[in-house]
Amino acid sequence: MPEGDTLFRTARTLHAALAGDLVTKFESAYAHIDQKSDQKSQDHPIPGRVVERVEARGKHVLIFFSGDLVLRSHMKMSGSWHLYRHGERWQRPKAQARVVLETERFVVVGFAVPVAELMRSDALAHQRELQRLGPDLLSSDFDEYEALRRLRAQGERPIAQALLDQGVVAGIGNIFKSETLFVAGVHPSAPVSALTDADLQRILSTARRLMAANVLPSSKEGITTYARQRRTTHASEPAAGFWVYYRGGRPCRNCGAILESEKQGLDARITFWCPRCQPLPPALPPS
C-alpha cells in the first residue's frame, strides 16, 4: 500500500507538472466519471479546464480544476499515478489504466486506481473518508495537540494498530509504522494507555521526521521530483535502507539481537521490531 510519503511525492510532482496548464483530454474506465459515456460528467467536462493545483491529504490525491471541480482518488493497495511525456512508453499495461489526463506537455495515468470521483470543492469538507482523517503527518500545519488527543483516546489499543488508523493520524503506513516505533524505542504491542505523553510525542515527531526525509525535492527536466528509494537509516547501500522492516529473523542493525515479526490487527498487517531496543512495558506480559 502506498504510504503518506509516496502520495505526498506524487501530488507534488503532479502539481509541478500540471498546475496552470489546460487539460486537452480526459478519459476514464469508470462510467461515473467517463466524460464520453456519463451524462452527468458531460455536464461538467474536464477538457478545457485549467489544473489549479494537486495536493495530498493523507492517502488521498486531489486534483483541483478551474470551475470548482475536483478529482479525488485513493490508491488503496496497488494504485499509482504515473507522469509521462507524449510518446513515452508506459511502465504498466494500458489495460490497467483507470484515468488518463492529458495536457499539451504531459500525460498523467492513474493505474489500477480503485477509487476515483469528481466533486465540487465545497463537497470535500463533507466527504466521509476525508472528514474522518486525523492530522496529516506531512502537513505544514500538522496539529500535534490534536494528534496526541486522538492517540490518547485509543486507550488499550496497541500503538502499532493505532498508528495505522487514518482517523488517528493520516499518512503513516506499514513501513513507517515499524520504522518509527524502532527509532522511538517503543514496542509495537504496547497499549497506548501504557505510554506517556512524552512517548507519544516522540513517536509523532519521529514519524514526521522519517517521512519528511523521504520527500526532499530535486530538480529534473524542470519538474520537481522526489526520490523513490525510501529509507530510514543513514546507510548509502540500497539493501540497508530500513532498520527493521521486512528483516524478521535477522540481526538488529543497532544491537545485534534477532528481530521479531508478528501479524497484528484485523487486517493482519505484519510488524517488525527488536526485542532488545524496543522492550515491552513492565506491566505488559511477553507475547
Side-chain angles (χ1 to χ4, degrees):
M1 175 184 289
E3 302 204 21
D5 65 319
T6 301
L7 277 299
F8 185 92
R9 291 196 304 268
T10 295
R12 290 291 297 270
T13 299
L14 293 182
H15 177 83
L18 301 178
D21 285 1
L22 190 73
V23 178
T24 58
K25 185 178 180 179
F26 182 90
E27 295 180 342
S28 175
Y30 295 120
H32 63 284
I33 61 173
D34 183 6
Q35 305 256 295
K36 296 183 295 184
S37 62
D38 183 72
Q39 183 59 51
K40 184 178 180 181
S41 293
Q42 292 179 43
D43 292 340
H44 307 284
I46 292 179
R49 295 175 186 259
V50 172
V51 178
E52 294 184 335
R53 68 185 187 278
V54 184
E55 63 183 55
R57 295 187 189 175
K59 297 185 179 181
H60 302 255
V61 173
L62 307 175
I63 302 178
F64 291 79
F65 302 98
S66 58
D68 192 36
L69 195 64
V70 184
L71 176 66
R72 179 185 76 89
S73 62
H74 195 294
M75 302 299 100
K76 297 294 184 181
M77 295 296 292
S78 58
S80 62
W81 283 102
H82 288 208
L83 178 68
Y84 301 103
R85 296 192 181 276
H86 288 276
E88 188 176 356
R89 182 185 178 89
W90 291 5
Q91 296 178 7
R92 295 180 66 170
K94 187 175 182 180
Q96 295 182 13
R98 298 294 179 266
V99 179
V100 180
L101 181 156
E102 296 185 14
T103 67
E104 185 177 339
R105 297 189 299 154
F106 295 105
V107 178
V108 176
V109 187
F111 288 107
V113 175
V115 176
E117 64 174 335
L118 289 170
M119 59 177 59
R120 294 295 185 183
S121 58
D122 57 1
L124 289 176
H126 307 290
Q127 204 284 327
R128 184 175 58 85
E129 292 185 49
L130 290 171
Q131 194 175 36
R132 72 172 292 273
L133 285 178
D136 191 326
L137 286 159
L138 284 173
S139 174
S140 59
D141 58 354
F142 175 71
D143 189 339
E144 182 180 343
Y145 177 83
E146 177 62 15
L148 185 62
R149 184 191 70 79
R150 294 191 183 208
L151 268 178
R152 181 56 69 201
Q154 300 304 299
E156 297 298 310
R157 194 177 188 186
I159 182 62
Q161 294 180 38
L163 288 177
L164 288 181
D165 189 334
Q166 300 300 293
V168 178
V169 287
I172 198 168
N174 214 38
I175 294 176
F176 281 110
K177 170 200 70 178
S178 291
E179 294 296 289
T180 291
L181 292 176
F182 172 80
V183 174
V186 176
H187 196 285
S189 295
V192 174
S193 59
L195 301 174
T196 66
D197 283 355
D199 291 330
L200 297 180
Q201 288 172 329
R202 186 171 72 258
I203 290 169
L204 291 172
S205 63
T206 298
R208 295 197 73 204
R209 175 171 58 82
L210 294 180
M211 293 174 70
N214 283 273
V215 295
L216 294 175
S218 61
S219 179
K220 180 181 180 181
E221 297 184 356
I223 304 172
T224 302
T225 58
Y226 295 80
R228 294 184 181 182
Q229 180 60 52
R230 180 185 287 131
R231 61 175 57 252
T232 57
T233 70
H234 298 296
S236 58
E237 301 86 359
F242 295 136
W243 290 105
V244 295
Y245 183 73
Y246 238 82
R247 299 191 64 246
R250 299 180 184 181
C252 174
R253 299 189 194 282
N254 182 56
C255 73
I258 299 301
L259 300 179
E260 299 184 10
S261 63
E262 181 180 66
K263 292 182 178 180
Q264 296 181 310
L266 296 177
D267 295 332
R269 305 293 297 278
I270 193 165
T271 302
F272 302 86
W273 74 94
C274 174
R276 187 179 298 164
C277 296
Q278 299 166 259
L280 285 161
L284 194 66
S287 57

